[in-house]
Amino acid sequence: MSILVFRDVCYAYEGEPVLRHVDFQAEKGQAVALCGPNGAGKSTLLRMVNGLIYPDIGSYTFEGTEITAARMRDHRYSKWFHQRVGLIWQNPDIQLFCGSVEDELAFGPRQMGLSEDEVKRRVDDALVLLGLERLRRRAPYTLSGGEKKKTAIASVLTMNPAVWTLDEPMSFLDAEAQEWLLDFLKSLKEAGKTLIFSTHESRMVRELADLRLDIRADHGAEVHAV
Amino acid sequence: MRLSEWMIREEEYQPGRDRDYFISRSFLRVLAVLISFRHQAHKRILDKVPPRTVLILFVLWLFLTVSAHTLAFLLCQLAGVLALLCFLDGRVIRHLLGAAIAAMLFSFFLLFPALFLGTGNRTLLMIPFKTFLTVSSLGIVTELLPWHQMTAALRAFRLPQEVIFLLDTALRCIVLLGERAGEMLTALKLRSVGHNTHKSRAAGGVLGSLFLYSRDMSEEMYQAMVCRCFTGEYPAAPSQRAGWMDAVLWAVFLVYLFLFLRMEGI
Amino acid sequence: MHIPENYLSPSTCAVLGAAMVPVWLMAVHKVRREIPREKMPLLGIGAAFSFLGMMFNIPLPGGTTGHAVGGTLLAVLFGPWSACLTVSIALLIQALFFGDGGILAFGANCFNMALVMPFSGWAVYRGLIRVMPAHPTAAAGIGAYVGINLAALCAAVEFGIQPMLFTDAAGQALYCPYPLQISIPAMMVGHLTLFGLAEIVFTMAVLSYLHKTAPALTDGTGIKGSRPVYALLALLIAGTPLGLLAAGTAWGEWDPEELAGQDFLGNALGYTPAGMEQGFSFEALFPDYAVAGMPESFGYILSAVIGTALLVILFKIFASFLPRSADYDAQAHG
């Protein structure tokens, strides 16, 4: 069973179409790249994958369950769903609101009711993996752009979602950090996580993606195997 | 890169019960304000209305409303307000009438005890009606004039430049910060996947980083203005020439003034 | 044709009101499904036309007056279900704000003018257009004539059965005192002649005006009111004081005191039916389209402006609750 399926999805904002007849599906462990000019609807599609907006026409099915406004009103389901699907915003400032990097990373797992030992283990592992140990007590807003981005990624990592959605993940990162991120995403993919990301970088598409979803300026979309 | 064992594993998570309506609710409120401001910022129905004339006539119009003694004149004003409302968008009309009716009910309940004190029914009816008229005409004016035009027109009232500058900046910040707050609350919602014992701390974090952001933003805005030769002096806007729209608006107002004089028997 | 308060027994009102409930539900359902959100404000304008049409009273020798309704016009423009809804709302505004037509009798008035009139007029129009496809305006005019007469007949029957069903111990009528053999001729004489003619003229004039100035509207593709449409509305509003020239009261719309002096039974009735004297009464904001403290004609115009604006606003608000329709298959614009 495909982990997520878009069937003829159309979506309009204030009467203006933003997505037209989008059809694609992703298998577990696949990486899907969303390509297309600015304003074509890439971010809108990511918001829909995260259950923040719903198709006007057509359907979006996640692990066999159609995601609708009614479905997401069920708090238990929506929490379970938001744990399964993680979103990395293009601007990391949006995502960070805790007092320290450490708290930021612990926010998700604490909410999930994991034991303090488990929370500590996850936070430590993530800090090491992303090279943030020396920043652990710093307040997120004092960090540089790249460090903020890494903190945001780490804060989603500790929740261990099955599907990662990333909006322009390479922005805010220098060349070295970009290299690192590519490596990190490859490892996630190998571990069987599904990745959906929007990008302008052809290298990221080439090295990482299984599918490329081209969203055109007229908001239609077509799927290509990479 | 070596991932830890728990990162590779599939997460088995069953959420318990917790209500996080507070996020959804504050989220919605922020969005509602934001949408109204954003809407304010681009869609104009009548782009020819001269802001200064509209503001001056609006003040005079309110003066007529407040000083009227007869229901007949207020009904004439009601007809004018309703006719203007016809040209607005349905959603705007809904919000506007909602606010005006709420204000009317509020003033009615304030006056309710007076009904038993024998002050007469006339005032009791008149004041809520006047409230409705003033609130709905204010709504129409704000709908016709975008914020930046309104602040510019305030100069006609000889307000100090600093006040206008502050107002302008504040209104712009509300839009940007509102957008920001909406996104942050969405991010918080996405990460609120379970039981949150520190809801107020999370909400406080959102507000705190918003504050920091606004501080940075105002600083950067000032620096950007300095780079564009801002020396603390706000140049006076060129005075507008009166157009045919001014004439129309004044004519309509004079008709109402005539009605006022006739019906109030002055 | 607006049946005032207490001319019909509460049970008659209840029966007709109950009959209208499923019709209204169906109409709302149909309008929601078939009329796109963008076209909704146009229905408001249609309702305003009907509202204004009903303000133009025409006198008939003998002291009674009548007016056009425009139910068939709306049915031709927007379909019978939309016409049913729009006329109902125009009638509601008249009853609530202007005291024209009773609140309890609202269901009965809607039955006559919002159900019988547009549907029968529309059926005749559809039938005729097959026979004479070259003259749609004439077909609408004939449909309008049939529609208003059937509606008037229904109103006459509702009036006429009252004295047969509801009398007090002394044999005096409790509600409308005139039996069928008086009410039917009295209503129909006016409507078969002058008021029917007025309805024909109103329907055909508006249709051919729209046909010339806003053809998109008449062939059903237009979704926006254009300048000529608003111009016509403004003209009708300015002309409403003409309706004041008709001095009399429409048959069956007298005040209770006025009624006692009517002599349709050979001599003056001489009493006010008991059900009317103690009946339900409702204080409208502008009874009979008049405003205290201003000249009658100006009050009439003011009423016309307020009523028209209210109708347009109501439909715009209704439309704002519907989802916006987006065309996903049109060529993208940028």
Side-chain angles (χ1 to χ4, degrees), chain A residues 65-93:
Chain A
T65 309
E66 189 179 341
I67 302 301
T68 58
R71 186 75 267 215
M72 294 303 279
R73 264 197 293 277
D74 173 356
H75 278 245
R76 278 176 84 117
Y77 182 81
S78 79
K79 286 183 168 173
W80 175 83
F81 174 81
H82 289 318
Q83 188 278 319
R84 298 282 289 167
V85 185
L87 173 60
I88 309 287
W89 297 68
Q90 179 174 9
N91 181 355
D93 277 319

Side-chain angles (χ1 to χ4, degrees), chain B residues 30-31 34 173-183 210:
Chain B
V30 168
L31 277 190
L34 174 69
C173 282
I174 288 175
V175 175
L176 291 174
L177 287 178
E179 225 161 42
R180 183 82 167 198
E183 282 189 328
L210 263 182

Side-chain angles (χ1 to χ4, degrees), chain A residues 10 12 14-15 20-21 56-57 218, chain C residues 324 326-330 332-333:
Chain A
C10 297
E14 306 243 311
R20 292 175 200 254
H21 307 293
D56 290 335
I57 303 179
D218 69 357
Chain C
R324 256 172 216 263
D327 185 2
Y328 295 104
D329 299 310
H333 16 122

Side-chain angles (χ1 to χ4, degrees), chain C residues 54 67 76 79 124 153 170 182 191 214 221 255:
Chain C
M54 291 192 256
H67 53 70
V76 168
V124 170
L153 184 64
I182 292 175
H191 286 93
T221 52
D255 297 334

